[in-house]
Amino acid sequence: MDKATILTWLEAVKDPEIPVLSLVDLGVIRDVVISETGRVTVKMTPTFSGCPAMDYMQRDVVQTLQAHGIADVTTEMSFEEPWDTNMVSEKGREALKNFGLAPPPAYQGILDLDILEYAQCPHCNSHDTELRTPFGATLCRSMHYCNNCRQLFEQFKPV
Amino acid sequence: MNTEALKDLLYRLADDQLILGHRNSEWNGLGPILEEDIAFSSMAQDKLGHSLQLYTLLHQLGEAEPDTVAFTRNAPQFHCTQLVELPIGEYDFSLIRHFLFDHAEILRFEALSHSHYEPLAQVARKLKGELKYHILHANTWIKQLGSSTEEAIERLQNSLNYTLPYALGLFEKTAAEDEIIAAGIFVGEDEIKTRWQENITKILRQTALELPDAATLTPVYGGRTGEHTEHLQPLLDEMAEVFRVDPTAEW
């Protein structure tokens, strides 16, 4: 049992609100620590501080590893390395797009208002879109309208 | 560092989030348009999340569990400003309150992200990113409605005049003020208030609304030391109803 194997197993744990996205690709699993006695600690960080899915994610991580025969497993939530959307992997971005959710635009340095309002349509790839409301069906989504294909779409909002 | 001074700061921050979060949630199902229903409900969820993180910091400092702290105290034990406990009223009031409160809040958490108390700095770094969306939302609607019809402008102006003294109460200092500044935990209320006035002025200048001269107003103080309006206790009774019947209930 090593860290790489555990991370592969954790690929199976999906975001309960976006079932195509693994927690590893989402970036909420920050580290896996295996102690000398074999205790596995999965270090996680929340996406949004009020996200109700975090409890489910922790439970799913524990259950998945237990199913692989790891008896001594715990999760640890920390803000030490706070999550931001730049932590979503390339694979994760692709999965979001295929799911119909515009992936969060990568940004450098400070996230300014221009980035919050920008989204590329996941259906027709147009950049001619406008922000309708910064809040959506879940805390991590905003709603946009595409002027090109005239569809309303959601974006995994950048933070 | 005196832990009591730090706890006082954390209670002020957490209680504001919890109570305004609860008030925002009262728009659930009542918003003037569906998007606003969702926006206020989402901000409610964020604010409850923020209060949970702050109550967790208090728990680490020896206070009771977050749920116990949130659900078992009565009004005189709350450190929130009177601004956040006022009923939601009409949409114009709730929008103005949201605008005035969140502009102060984002500055507070930006400043706290440099706090010498590292656990608080970590939480603040997280929350300030989420608050950007609250600011974006508030600014969008204030700019749009604040320069639209005569009725919209008049309603917002009346709400602004009514709410501003309460909003100034956000900057009420407590006995812990000098100590938390000296310890590098927080820059202090005066600093936040100055920046807040600059920021809200910038937005209001793009509208037909006029910011009353704060110097001529008497801020509504008292909330930080447990003096509240008659509106807080009924809110607490409703919020804690299930918990008080069965503290082990899950919902």
Side-chain angles (χ1 to χ4, degrees), chain A residues 46-47 49 52 79 111 116 158, chain B residues 42 45 50 53 126 130 132-133:
Chain A
T47 49
S49 53
F79 286 96
L111 179 60
L116 301 188
Chain B
S42 297
Q45 204 180 344
H50 298 173
Q53 304 308 336
K126 180 78 196 162
E130 297 174 11
K132 280 187 183 166
Y133 286 95

Side-chain angles (χ1 to χ4, degrees), chain B residues 28-249:
Chain B
N28 195 330
L30 300 175
I33 53 173
L34 182 61
E35 285 85 347
E36 282 311 275
D37 199 304
I38 296 170
F40 272 89
S41 304
S42 297
M43 291 189 289
Q45 204 180 344
D46 274 338
K47 291 202 185 311
L48 293 188
H50 298 173
S51 73
L52 173 62
Q53 304 308 336
L54 295 160
Y55 289 132
T56 302
L57 292 180
L58 279 161
H59 184 47
Q60 288 160 1
L61 290 169
E63 298 296 283
E65 294 277 349
D67 275 359
T68 310
V69 171
F71 295 137
T72 59
R73 287 175 299 155
N74 284 313
Q77 282 96 48
F78 268 78
H79 302 248
C80 57
T81 53
Q82 294 186 13
L83 172 73
V84 297
E85 67 204 43
L86 298 173
I88 57 173
E90 303 248 351
Y91 179 74
D92 47 79
F93 165 72
S94 276
L95 177 62
I96 287 284
R97 169 165 62 184
H98 155 44
F99 171 71
L100 296 175
F101 178 83
D102 282 304
H103 267 283
E105 212 58 7
I106 198 163
L107 291 170
R108 223 173 262 282
F109 285 107
E110 263 165 18
L112 287 166
S113 69
H114 305 289
S115 174
H116 288 183
Y117 184 59
E118 184 55 22
L120 177 56
Q122 286 179 3
V123 167
R125 278 176 218 134
K126 180 78 196 162
L127 306 197
K128 71 178 181 155
E130 297 174 11
L131 282 169
K132 280 187 183 166
Y133 286 95
H134 299 212
I135 295 294
L136 175 66
H137 176 262
N139 288 357
T140 302
W141 283 108
I142 290 290
K143 285 193 273 190
Q144 193 151 334
L145 294 174
S147 27
S148 63
T149 65
E150 210 172 299
E151 188 194 358
I153 292 165
E154 192 188 329
R155 275 173 170 267
L156 286 175
Q157 186 66 58
N158 287 341
S159 281
L160 182 59
N161 298 348
Y162 170 76
T163 313
L164 197 58
Y166 287 98
L168 291 168
L170 284 167
F171 310 104
E172 177 181 358
K173 294 174 196 168
T174 67
E177 183 77 357
D178 292 342
E179 200 161 344
I180 54 172
I181 294 174
I185 290 171
F186 184 50
V187 293
E189 299 300 333
D190 288 341
E191 182 79 31
I192 300 295
K193 185 177 163 188
T194 306
R195 293 185 210 163
W196 173 78
Q197 277 177 321
E198 284 168 16
N199 287 358
I200 60 169
T201 302
K202 269 186 228 161
I203 301 298
L204 292 172
R205 275 199 189 131
Q206 300 171 55
T207 70
L209 303 172
E210 277 182 40
L211 185 65
D213 181 3
T216 64
L217 300 171
T218 309
V220 179
Y221 287 154
R224 301 303 189 199
T225 51
E227 281 174 43
H228 295 283
T229 65
E230 76 270 24
H231 305 295
L232 182 59
Q233 192 58 47
L235 179 154
L236 297 174
D237 292 341
E238 185 186 274
M239 184 172 71
E241 205 175 341
V242 175
F243 188 87
R244 286 176 190 174
V245 171
D246 178 5
T248 63

